[in-house]
């Protein structure tokens, strides 16, 4: 059985989805509020990490 790898987003793609700037995305990564990995020196963020972050923010706001 094989499982598909999660879709990975670039920092600019995350910026567009969250409607925030580059510095904010890197700040979220640095503070471990947004999970990321490095692929050959390039930062990538799994789609589920962005969804989890948004869900957490909605939960905090409620």
């Amino acid at each position: 059985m094989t499982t598909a790898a999660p879709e990975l987003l670039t920092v600019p793609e995350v910026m567009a989805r969250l409607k925030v700037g580059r510095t904010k995305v890197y700040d979220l990564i640095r503070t471990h509020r947004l999970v990321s990995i490095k692929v050959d020196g390039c930062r990538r963020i799994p789609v589920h990490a962005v969804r989890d972050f948004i869900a957490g923010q909605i939960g905090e706001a409620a």
Side-chain angles (χ1 to χ4, degrees):
M1 178 172 93
T2 60
T3 56
E7 182 182 348
L8 299 174
L9 302 171
T10 63
V11 169
E13 290 170 332
V14 174
M15 290 167 51
R17 287 183 184 215
L18 296 179
K19 309 286 191 277
V20 297
R22 180 179 178 273
T23 302
K24 184 61 178 179
V25 172
Y26 280 107
D27 182 56
L28 293 171
I29 292 169
R30 182 182 55 77
T31 58
H32 305 287
R33 294 173 63 202
L34 189 61
V35 175
S36 72
I37 62 170
K38 276 190 134 179
V39 178
D40 290 333
C42 298
R43 189 63 61 183
R44 296 293 180 258
I45 300 94
V47 170
H48 74 81
V50 176
R51 287 189 197 123
D52 292 348
F53 173 76
I54 293 169
Q57 293 300 298
I58 291 170
E60 287 179 17

